[in-house]
Amino acid sequence: MRRLRPTLLCAAALLLVTAPGSLSATAAPVPGDTGTLADAAARHGAPRPLDQVIPAPASVRPGGGPYTLRPGTRIRVPRHAPQAREVAERLAELLRPSTGYDLPVVSGPGRGGIRLGLGGPRRLGKEGYRLEVSRRGVELTARSRTGLFYGVQTLRQLLPARVEARTEQPGPWRIAGGTVHDRPRYAHRGAMLDVARHFFGVAEVKRYIDQLALYKVNTLHLHLSDDQGWRIAIDSWPRLAAHGGSTEVGGGPGGHYTKDDYREIVRYAAERELTVIPEIDMPGHTNAALASYAELNCDGVAPPLYTGIEVGFSSLCVPLETTYDFVDDVIREIAELTPGRYLHIGGDEAHSTSHEDYAAFMARAQRTVAAHGKQVVGWHQLAGAEPADGALLQYWGTSGDAPDVAEAARNGTRVILSPADRAYLDMKYNEDTPLGLSWAGLVEVRQSYDWDPGSHLRGVPAEAVAGVEAPLWSETLEESDHIEFMAFPRLPGIAELGWSPASTHDWADYRERLAQQGPRWDRMGVDYWRSPQVPWPSR
């Protein structure tokens, strides 16, 4: 597939005019569509209403305003508040190219402009914020850097889409008046990127991180190992990356992250309020490891590298003590690199492992994770063993019925919802989608959005739901354009299910707000699917 642009590391990328034959050109605009009312108003200089953002805020009270950014606007932060200053500087970096304004960040008291402050009621929590807009200025308050960062993402969406451009654009730059009180529904709002089937470099991962941050996603789950490739350097087992990472689906060159590469991804994600959860899948999905070291195989013979897409044929050798030396070394080295509290050990589709061996292996693997100071995340098949205290189960089924998961949840294990027929971003939109798979069905935008995580899985108490996650598997994806085409426009819907109160959930309203994101993505260079279910503004 052709590449549309050089990879960019900033959240707002160069303007992309979609060329004939591009991925997004495969979907026609809605017949007769002229855009939403809010978008039409924006074209005439009217500010976007405060509730016309994604994710939907918890509470909006319109009134007063609007506030207009001007050449003399300043961004103010309290004295001796380095975290507020960091967020303010990032806001200024975003706004300067498109507005052409200096937007200096200044400390101390003053009138007007945009003010970022730390404080506010306890009910905002770590991630919540309060945004108040009047004619005099904009005041954003949160109890932490995290909340300020998320408030900035809302503020960013309230400005015209052309704010994402990297060259100076015409004003006016107006923000609607009123007050927003906002905080997330769930603590876990994730996206998974499979870098094992096809390898994506550091710059490509950073680009996706920037896109996730706009929608208040707070977790990047990296699927670092599978049958087709091992993508992280392990000093004590160097052939894992050197040999196991040397190819990918279809026989391409593959690749892997050095430890410094991984540290850079973790650092970059943390700056954008995302925590990285690394995944080493085991005991199945392990052919890349088995091919790298003969001693990990029960028969002592290393299989060849694998570049297909079938699953369930590989397994670590459960009776071998060498297996647990391997697991301990890998988990130790990855835990040392990972500041977050969780480490994902996979556990799905272990069809070549007996139930007895599976349960025995997962018990030891979970103890190893704990010994290295982390908590376990596992795919929902882990419920068939015995989840450790504090473990998270990640449900990816399609039936909405998993009695063993429900039993584990009733016993205190929390669950992340990633139903494949709703949240898997690699499922085709329709039969003509040029990328993706369809084993879980065809998943258009409404199906991806129109479900409730709190009641989706039968028998799982609402309070046991830790959150949602949108996995993106890469059997058919080879570059950033492919990631974007499959993630957008479905990813923002999953992000909204994780952030917004259930009371805001309404497809008719959401599709209008989603349509308004199209011009923003055009400015950012996102090659998205123009779903016929969404009334996109005409280009």
Side-chain angles (χ1 to χ4, degrees):
M1 304 294 291
R2 55 95 184 98
R3 295 184 181 271
L4 292 181
R5 71 190 80 77
T7 301
L8 301 176
L9 304 187
C10 56
L14 292 172
L15 171 62
L16 169 72
V17 178
T18 305
S22 73
L23 289 174
S24 59
T26 62
V30 178
D33 171 47
T34 57
T36 64
L37 291 176
D39 190 77
R43 287 197 296 270
H44 290 88
R48 190 176 303 281
L50 292 179
D51 61 353
Q52 294 299 297
V53 299
I54 298 175
S59 170
V60 174
R61 188 176 71 247
Y67 176 72
T68 302
L69 269 69
R70 302 186 187 280
T73 295
R74 296 185 172 198
I75 301 176
R76 302 183 184 277
V77 297
R79 290 193 179 98
H80 313 300
Q83 292 187 332
R85 176 169 281 275
E86 286 175 12
V87 179
E89 292 287 3
R90 192 170 299 280
L91 173 62
E93 289 170 8
L94 170 72
L95 300 180
R96 284 169 182 150
S98 55
T99 64
Y101 303 158
D102 290 338
L103 300 172
V105 177
V106 298
S107 298
R111 301 182 63 183
I114 301 173
R115 181 186 301 276
L116 276 62
L118 292 169
R122 290 185 179 276
R123 66 177 179 272
L124 289 178
K126 178 186 175 183
E127 296 184 301
Y129 64 91
R130 180 180 185 269
L131 178 65
E132 186 171 12
V133 183
S134 68
R135 290 187 183 276
R136 296 185 301 275
V138 175
E139 186 160 352
L140 175 61
T141 306
R143 295 184 63 82
S144 71
R145 180 194 188 279
T146 305
L148 287 179
F149 182 86
Y150 292 144
V152 163
Q153 305 317 306
T154 296
L155 181 62
R156 175 179 171 185
Q157 289 189 43
L158 290 171
L159 287 162
R162 59 187 180 275
V163 79
E164 307 292 345
R166 297 292 84 195
T167 56
E168 189 170 341
Q169 305 292 309
W173 304 101
R174 292 177 179 148
I175 305 168
T179 304
V180 175
H181 286 91
D182 203 9
R183 60 175 296 175
R185 180 182 183 187
Y186 293 116
H188 185 103
R189 305 179 306 280
M192 188 219 76
L193 182 61
D194 171 21
V195 297
R197 270 52 178 273
H198 281 101
F199 180 66
F200 296 96
V202 173
E204 292 169 304
V205 176
K206 285 181 173 181
R207 180 174 174 83
Y208 197 40
I209 288 170
D210 283 330
Q211 294 161 356
L212 298 174
L214 176 58
Y215 299 101
K216 304 182 177 71
V217 172
N218 69 354
T219 302
L220 175 64
H221 168 186
L222 282 179
H223 185 76
L224 291 167
S225 71
D226 215 297
D227 292 315
Q228 298 87 352
W230 186 283
R231 306 303 183 199
I232 180 73
I234 302 296
D235 294 339
S236 51
W237 298 76
R239 277 179 57 81
L240 290 173
H243 183 68
S246 65
T247 191
E248 59 187 8
V249 167
H256 71 273
Y257 305 119
T258 66
K259 287 190 170 182
D260 282 345
D261 288 338
Y262 181 80
R263 290 187 186 99
E264 175 61 13
I265 290 171
V266 168
R267 182 203 64 79
Y268 192 86
E271 283 188 349
R272 288 146 184 84
E273 299 299 336
L274 279 88
T275 299
V276 173
I277 296 180
E279 180 187 353
I280 301 297
D281 209 342
M282 55 181 87
H285 290 276
T286 47
N287 191 81
L290 298 173
S292 301
Y293 287 97
E295 58 265 40
L296 294 176
N297 296 269
C298 287
D299 61 3
V301 178
L305 293 169
Y306 180 69
T307 61
I309 63 171
E310 296 301 317
V311 299
F313 62 88
S314 62
S315 178
L316 293 172
C317 186
V318 174
L320 278 179
E321 197 59 29
T322 302
T323 294
Y324 303 99
D325 294 336
F326 163 79
V327 170
D328 184 74
D329 287 338
V330 169
I331 289 176
R332 171 179 50 79
E333 292 195 32
I334 291 179
E336 289 170 352
L337 294 170
T338 303
R341 65 192 292 193
Y342 290 108
L343 197 152
H344 204 304
I345 58 172
D348 65 324
E349 297 173 325
H351 304 321
S352 295
T353 311
S354 70
H355 175 73
E356 181 180 12
D357 279 354
Y358 178 84
F361 175 86
M362 295 307 276
R364 289 193 67 170
Q366 290 184 92
R367 289 197 297 271
T368 301
V369 172
H372 293 293
K374 301 299 179 184
Q375 290 177 255
V376 166
V377 187
W379 298 107
H380 70 261
Q381 285 84 354
L382 177 59
E386 185 174 344
D389 290 344
L392 293 176
L393 298 179
Q394 186 168 0
Y395 174 78
W396 59 266
T398 60
S399 68
D401 187 22
D404 52 350
V405 176
E407 181 180 1
R410 289 191 294 269
N411 290 331
T413 300
R414 304 192 74 205
V415 183
I416 299 166
L417 272 294
S418 298
D421 58 337
R422 303 281 187 168
Y424 269 33
L425 302 180
D426 55 298
M427 291 297 106
K428 290 176 176 285
Y429 295 99
N430 60 30
E431 292 180 352
D432 298 323
T433 306
L435 301 170
L437 304 174
S438 58
W439 61 265
L442 303 174
V443 182
E444 249 287 12
V445 178
R446 180 169 187 173
Q447 181 165 325
S448 185
Y449 173 79
D450 214 1
W451 59 286
D452 179 14
S455 60
H456 182 78
L457 196 52
R458 283 187 289 277
V460 172
E463 61 272 16
V465 176
V468 296
E469 187 170 296
L472 183 55
W473 301 98
S474 67
E475 286 95 336
T476 68
L477 315 182
E478 300 181 44
E479 56 189 59
S480 284
D481 289 335
H482 298 169
I483 291 173
E484 293 162 13
F485 183 73
M486 300 306 286
F488 295 93
R490 291 179 292 197
L491 172 74
I494 303 299
E496 176 155 308
L497 293 178
W499 179 279
S500 303
S503 60
T504 66
H505 186 93
D506 178 75
W507 164 250
D509 171 72
Y510 174 72
R511 68 192 288 267
E512 297 289 336
R513 288 184 287 117
L514 184 61
Q516 296 166 32
Q517 298 295 309
R520 190 170 303 273
W521 296 336
D522 287 335
R523 296 282 181 165
M524 293 170 65
V526 174
D527 192 17
Y528 62 99
W529 158 254
R530 286 178 67 86
S531 167
Q533 295 183 341
V534 179
W536 307 105
S538 55
R539 285 173 168 165

